[in-house]
Amino acid sequence: MTASALQCGRVVPGNWDSLRPERGLVGAQPVWAWVLAVGGSALVTFGVVAQIAPFRYLPSGVFLVVVIGAAALGGLRPGLVASVLSSLGIWYAVLPPKNSFGVQSLGEGFEELAALAFFLVTALAASAFVERLERALDDAQEARLRVDFLARASEVLGSSLDVDATLRRLARLSVDVLAEWGTVALVDEEGVRRVAVAHRHPSRQHELEAVPADAAPMFPPELVERVAHGETVVGEFDDDSLRASASDGRTLQLLRSLAPRSFLVAPLRSGTGVIGALSFARGRDLPPFVAADTELADELARRASVAIENARLYQSRDRATERLALLNEASRALASTLDIATAFRRMGEALVPDLADLCYLDLVEEEGTRRLVVANPALGDATSLERWPPDPRGRNPIAEVIARGEPTVLVELTEEVLARVARDDDHLEMIRRLGIHSVIIVPLVTQGHVVGALSLLRAAEGARYAPADLSVVEVLGRRVSMAVENGRLFAGQRELAETLQRSLLPPVLPSVPGVAVAVRYLPAGAAMDVGGDWYDAFTVRAGLLAFALGDVAGHGAHSASVMGQLRNALRAYMIEDPDPARVLARLDALLAALEPDEMATLTCGTLDPERGELRLSSAGHLQPLLVDRDGRGSRLDQERGVPLGTGAPVHYRTTTIRLRPGDTFVLFTDGLVEDRRRPLDVGLERLVDVASTREHPGDPAALCDALVDGMLGGTNGEDDVAVLAVRLEELGAHLYLDVPADPSVLASTRRTLRRWLHGVGVGEVETTKVLAAVGEACANAIEHGSNGAYPTRASMPSFVLEGMVDDDGLCVHVRDRGRWRAPRGGNRGRGLLLMHALSDDVVVDTDEVGTDVTLRWRHQAAVT
């Protein structure tokens, strides 16, 4: 655009025409109205005085023509002046002394001319006064309109903190008053962007919006530098300037159709420089911009700049407050647990989607890099990205951050970067499908070593990151680093604590034929020390199952040592005298002597599988739970004595309960039912409800799982939890026992076999023979059934005892996994002779798998 075309800085004399009210009824220039008002009045007066037709005969009609014409051309004020002057002239000519303006002599002519001159001078003076009065009124009207417009603009600017929406409303208001169309551009982190476009006519506004933002006629490229330095520019368009603004032929054609004539660009100034510009344009049907328009635009720009700065300050403060709130929430999530995966998941849920659409936590471990992902649910299966942790030796951005220990911001992910990030084609396809396009990566540093990286990513339609966001993510990265370090320290210490805790508990549960035993032990979720909850189960005296479950007050190594002492002493006391009440009394005395400041609760007892007799005694522990064979749960009515170690006189009682085959009793510690949010009784009632609605009523292990999941929701509670379930099995018509090859179980095996024989109707005499013969077969299976030594009880072999009654009588199988050896010693090898003597038929089958001994008794003799 040429300088002559722009005419920058040209001041055009005149008023604020864009806001000045129209004059007259037909839009003529006001000067003609004053000519008619003054000249017409003089002509009327002269015509009356000189008796010239039609003034002589129709003075009223001519008078009306003059007055109405002046008002029509110039408005009400010229019409009033014409009316007053004509009235005065008629009064002078008609009323006495009735000056006739007749020229009888030269002297008389001068008098008449002097009178007429006086009338004209008076009329001109009155016209000048009225014109000044009119200009004053016009200036007052213009000032009122200016103030009204600025007041409405200020109202718009103060109505919202949404800068873009506010500027769109301001553009609409401005073009309705000041210009034919206009735009508003802002300078922000994204560069110069057009935020508002407005035109007086909606149909033309759509055309204007189609003009590219960098070729808008209100903001020609040549003006960018001048406006950027804070200068208000006024100019006019010509075809050269339109060509310079158009980026292509289509845009040039569109600009020509808009027919721009003049423009005005007012910069938006702030303390830091120019932050944008208001651009206005007028078409051929409107006068060019003048000085008053420039003053108004500058004032409008000043107010808009203040409003924009205030809005940005508020937004910046709100954004800082939001970021601080996000950091606080993320910190609380990280501090809520020492488990790294759980802490990161909670932190990610706090950040998504406000700060990120995806969060990666890549941890460098001995076996490689492990990735954890938290994603916006709207992205679908984005968590499957955990399958592609970064290659630590690759050239991808995450590996580079881990290697250098320096953060990076990728405002836009190019195809070249995506190709370096992807581990394979499937990975690349998922990244593209999710639309990941911007990322911030910060290293995680603990004790001077980089242990991983935290990545925040934007996907799909999310906003892009800017370098200014890095400071927030760096703070977050430092807090994640602390959480990772604390989590790893906790994991190591917790592993040691659990190892110590479990070393003080029985490694395996006893195998008692006809009885199913299951246990669940869960360390506290947040505790670092070992707890005082413990359990035990073992056999005593001719196949009795002894059991115990207790809770030593407190946590730590000392509580664990007290627990170990109680467990060992209980075993010794139970083997010596299996009466539960007397065992508790002796344990109370022992604890008072060895650990006078310690207390513990405990329930112990025995179960006789043959008679189904359960004997219990409690030292202040919670009452057990009984689940019958129909799946109904209830609390056992058991007397609770005082806890061990109180120092008070104690008297414990043993409660005897008869169990039916299929019944299960459950011992548990308070960690299963206690909750600070509810009373203990509510927790116990809920436990009964959970036990009564389980899916596997016949499986003690499934019952333990159901109770733990139903009460704790799949998470470790605030205290240790121990659950021990014992079920008296229903033997049925077909007996099948998998018996450990351990001599200590022979007594309980005989008791279970006797219970089954009585159940299927075998008489007492025959039962004695069957027990003796089967006992010899079982002894041989234990002695010969193992082909080698076993280092632990868990690796001990077993043999199968199977009994059934058919039409031919009673049949018992004893199958082991070894080969019988020759008798050793002079008094050995008579077991087979006893089996032949005590049974009707004995068959011994030996093969590569093992040895199967089949014992039979005829129906008439065996079953009565």
Side-chain angles (χ1 to χ4, degrees), residues 430-445:
M430 172 163 281
I431 294 175
R432 288 172 173 169
R433 179 166 54 82
L434 294 176
I436 298 175
H437 56 260
S438 187
V439 62
I440 294 181
I441 310 169
V442 295
L444 304 179
V445 182

Side-chain angles (χ1 to χ4, degrees), residues 167-176 198-201 205:
L167 293 179
R168 285 193 292 269
R169 293 180 59 194
L170 180 66
R172 168 53 53 193
L173 175 66
S174 300
V175 301
D176 288 342
H199 197 286
R200 286 188 178 184
H201 306 291
Q205 176 163 334

Side-chain angles (χ1 to χ4, degrees), residues 87 97 120 211 231 257 349 390 405 435 502 513 564 575 580 602 619 624 648 665 669 707 727 737 754 770 784 810 815:
S87 299
L120 291 175
V211 177
E231 181 181 350
S257 68
E349 292 172 351
R502 296 188 184 278
I575 292 174
L602 175 64
F665 69 92
T669 56
L707 294 178
R727 182 175 187 267
L737 301 177
R754 178 184 286 111
V770 173
H784 304 291
L810 175 65
R815 290 190 293 271

Side-chain angles (χ1 to χ4, degrees), residues 327-349:
L327 287 176
N328 290 335
E329 188 175 355
S331 299
R332 285 195 297 270
L334 292 172
S336 64
T337 176
L338 290 172
D339 180 72
I340 297 175
T342 303
F344 175 70
R345 186 185 71 253
R346 293 175 181 174
M347 182 205 72
E349 292 172 351

Side-chain angles (χ1 to χ4, degrees), residues 357-416:
D357 296 307
L358 279 165
C359 298
Y360 291 169
L361 179 62
D362 295 298
L363 298 176
V364 179
E365 300 177 343
E366 293 182 358
E367 56 275 8
T369 304
R370 176 167 66 107
R371 165 167 288 180
L372 302 174
V373 176
V374 177
N376 189 339
L379 297 180
D381 60 343
T383 53
S384 61
L385 289 168
E386 291 181 353
R387 293 186 297 158
W388 295 288
D391 183 1
R393 298 179 301 276
R395 295 179 54 250
N396 61 83
I398 297 178
E400 292 173 355
V401 168
I402 294 176
R404 297 195 312 267
E406 298 177 356
T408 186
V409 180
L410 299 177
V411 179
E412 187 71 37
L413 291 179
T414 64
E415 281 296 321
E416 188 270 335

Side-chain angles (χ1 to χ4, degrees), residues 434-671:
L434 294 176
I436 298 175
H437 56 260
S438 187
V439 62
I440 294 181
I441 310 169
V442 295
L444 304 179
V445 182
T446 62
Q447 299 181 355
H449 299 286
V450 178
V451 297
L454 173 68
S455 305
L456 303 187
L457 303 95
R458 283 295 188 185
E461 300 300 325
R464 282 164 172 76
Y465 290 115
D469 298 319
L470 179 59
S471 59
V472 176
V473 184
E474 284 184 315
V475 174
L476 188 61
R478 289 193 291 270
R479 298 184 183 183
V480 174
S481 299
M482 294 177 58
V484 170
E485 181 178 9
N486 293 337
R488 288 182 170 177
L489 290 174
F490 168 76
Q493 296 181 16
R494 184 177 181 81
E495 183 178 359
L496 291 176
E498 290 186 7
T499 301
L500 174 60
Q501 176 79 347
R502 296 188 184 278
S503 68
L504 298 174
L505 298 174
V508 294
L509 296 174
S511 178
V512 178
V515 178
V517 183
V519 67
R520 292 293 181 270
Y521 176 78
L522 285 77
M528 186 67 74
D529 297 325
V530 295
D533 290 13
W534 62 283
Y535 63 88
D536 202 358
F538 51 94
T539 57
V540 297
R541 286 198 183 180
L544 291 179
L545 173 67
F547 54 86
L549 187 139
D551 186 0
V552 178
H555 291 81
H558 183 68
S559 296
S561 68
V562 173
M563 179 191 74
Q565 294 179 67
L566 289 178
R567 176 172 172 260
N568 292 332
L570 181 136
R571 283 202 167 206
Y573 295 155
M574 273 287 186
I575 292 174
E576 181 180 350
D577 180 5
D579 182 84
R582 288 194 290 269
V583 169
L584 289 182
R586 298 178 70 178
L587 288 175
D588 179 71
L590 176 68
L591 188 61
L594 298 180
E595 303 287 347
D597 295 329
E598 295 293 334
M599 292 179 57
T601 62
L602 175 64
T603 293
C604 66
T606 61
L607 173 62
D608 184 347
E610 183 179 358
R611 294 196 296 268
E613 184 178 88
L614 174 66
R615 304 180 74 224
L616 294 170
S617 187
S618 174
H621 203 75
L622 296 173
Q623 294 172 324
L625 177 69
L626 178 64
V627 181
D628 63 24
R629 57 188 177 186
D630 298 323
R632 293 187 297 268
S634 62
R635 295 164 60 186
L636 283 176
D637 185 11
Q638 177 200 12
E639 181 179 346
R640 298 172 61 189
V642 298
L644 304 177
T646 61
V650 297
H651 179 67
Y652 299 107
R653 293 185 178 180
T654 298
T655 301
T656 302
I657 300 172
R658 184 71 62 180
L659 295 183
R660 299 177 301 171
D663 290 346
T664 305
F665 69 92
V666 182
L667 302 179
F668 53 90
T669 56
D670 53 7

